[in-house]
Amino acid sequence: KEVVVTGVTHDTNVAKVVLVGVPDRPGVAARIFGALAAERINVDMIVQTTKEEKSTDLLFTISRDDLARASQVVRKVAQELGAKDVLEDQTVAKVSIVGAGMMMNPGVAAAMFEALAECGINIQVISTSEIKVSCLIDESRVVEAVRAIHRRFLEDTLSPADEGQ
Amino acid sequence: KEVVVTGVTHDTNVAKVVLVGVPDRPGVAARIFGALAAERINVDMIVQTTKEEKSTDLLFTISRDDLARASQVVRKVAQELGAKDVLEDQTVAKVSIVGAGMMMNPGVAAAMFEALAECGINIQVISTSEIKVSCLIDESRVVEAVRAIHRRFLEDTLSPADEGQ
Ligand SMILES: C[C@@H](O)[C@H](N)C(=O)O
Ligand SMILES: C[C@@H](O)[C@H](N)C(=O)O
């Protein structure tokens, strides 16, 4: 089978912030991320789902060094918006698989999720693009996660003869 | 200022599926996407946030042609998992900005959200990578959305002399 995953990456310098129960109406995302940009805070992942309710949750990640400043910024905006809560978490790490045209292959993301499941690692956040599947997991499991994913995708390409070495 | 956004893309052949209230424990994502992969259903976006509750929502997108089959697959898994609900929506479209190193620039995502906000377009789903910010919006607004985002990012590069022509 074609090998489509060309790399496994991870990042432990990750903090997760969730604005819980923000109004789901135009202008809310613009306001939150405009405020962060005004403070020159670099945002990595932005993840939002919707349930067709009046409010939703907005999650983003930043480096841990920026958490204190980001927290201050978003808590102010969250209060103005009438958000329900702001959650912060510095115990997460990001682990990703990368590869061109990867998401054109049914089962690539599933295989990553299975590698994590087999280790009993819970997937907290998922975000994808055509060339990358990223998951946030507990930072204490990141070494194990990278190893399992690597074994699944990048070591299957060894011929049986190599495996004895 | 450096132009970092090199393109605006859109896709109207998009259907959104949300598994509402799935157990947030290892193996759940693997099972859902494993089942879809077994049917050779190509998944585009996978988006999941978390609130540190016992359950969470899992959202994914597929082409509209695959919705009937995907629906059958996930409803079965959702029932086995004891999920609260399965939502389907074929009235969404995906609009994205692409550009190398884009997310290294605070404010790029915010500018896209502002362009949509100025049109009064609600952002239903957000997912990002370093080179792409994707939003799901109502399909009836997609032409307007692309035009507004294009104007924001790709037409500012005209010199004042050009604008009269
Ligand atoms: C929640 C947020 O994304 C909102 N729907 C907006 O359009 O800005
Ligand atoms: C919800 C789902 O992502 C679950 N947390 C898992 O690890 O599979």
Side-chain angles (χ1 to χ4, degrees), chain A residues 113-114 116-117 120-126 135-137, chain B residues 22-33 48-50 54-58:
Chain A
F113 303 153
E114 277 158 19
L116 295 172
I121 295 171
N122 194 47
I123 302 167
Q124 300 179 24
V125 176
I126 303 170
C135 294
L136 292 186
I137 61 171
Chain B
V22 292
D24 193 0
R25 61 166 189 251
V28 169
R31 192 154 157 203
I32 292 163
F33 293 98
Q48 176 194 318
T49 57
T50 187
K54 291 226 158 34
S55 69
T56 189
D57 304 335
L58 246 175

Side-chain angles (χ1 to χ4, degrees), chain A residues 16 18 20 24-30 33-34 36-37 40-52 56-59 87-89 94 103-107 109-110 113-114 116-117 120-133, chain B residues 16 18 20 24-30 33-34 36-37 40-52 56-59 87-89 94 103-107 109-110 113-114 116-117 120-133:
Chain A
K16 173 185 93 183
V18 190
V20 182
D24 192 1
R25 62 168 189 250
V28 169
F33 293 96
L36 289 165
R40 309 302 301 159
I41 295 168
N42 242 321
V43 172
D44 181 27
M45 297 167 84
I46 301 172
V47 189
Q48 176 194 317
T49 57
T50 187
K51 275 212 294 264
E52 281 113 31
T56 190
D57 304 335
L58 247 175
L59 187 150
L87 307 174
E88 301 171 20
D89 186 354
K94 180 177 161 187
M103 290 303 279
M104 298 281 102
N105 244 293
F113 303 153
E114 277 158 19
L116 295 172
I121 295 171
N122 194 47
I123 302 167
Q124 300 179 24
V125 176
I126 303 170
S127 185
T128 64
S129 72
E130 287 85 344
I131 59 169
K132 193 169 190 174
V133 179
Chain B
K16 174 184 94 182
V18 190
V20 182
D24 193 0
R25 61 166 189 251
V28 169
F33 293 98
L36 289 164
R40 312 297 304 159
I41 294 167
N42 242 323
V43 172
D44 181 26
M45 297 167 82
I46 300 172
V47 190
Q48 176 194 318
T49 57
T50 187
K51 273 210 297 262
E52 281 113 33
T56 189
D57 304 335
L58 246 175
L59 185 151
L87 307 175
E88 301 171 20
D89 186 353
K94 179 177 162 189
M103 288 303 278
M104 297 280 102
N105 245 294
F113 304 152
E114 276 157 21
L116 296 171
I121 295 170
N122 194 47
I123 301 166
Q124 301 178 24
V125 176
I126 303 170
S127 186
T128 63
S129 71
E130 286 87 342
I131 60 169
K132 192 169 191 175
V133 179

Side-chain angles (χ1 to χ4, degrees), chain B residues 29-104:
Chain B
R31 192 154 157 203
I32 292 163
F33 293 98
L36 289 164
E39 296 296 319
R40 312 297 304 159
I41 294 167
N42 242 323
V43 172
D44 181 26
M45 297 167 82
I46 300 172
V47 190
Q48 176 194 318
T49 57
T50 187
K51 273 210 297 262
E52 281 113 33
E53 291 174 356
K54 291 226 158 34
S55 69
T56 189
D57 304 335
L58 246 175
L59 185 151
F60 65 92
T61 63
I62 47 175
S63 75
R64 291 182 188 181
D65 330 302
D66 286 339
L67 181 57
R69 275 196 310 136
S71 174
Q72 200 170 12
V73 169
V74 299
R75 282 177 187 281
K76 177 160 181 290
V77 178
Q79 186 171 42
E80 291 162 5
L81 287 170
K84 184 158 174 274
D85 202 0
V86 176
L87 307 175
E88 301 171 20
D89 186 353
Q90 299 198 65
T91 69
V92 292
K94 179 177 162 189
V95 63
S96 307
I97 51 172
V98 282
M102 196 170 61
M103 288 303 278
M104 297 280 102

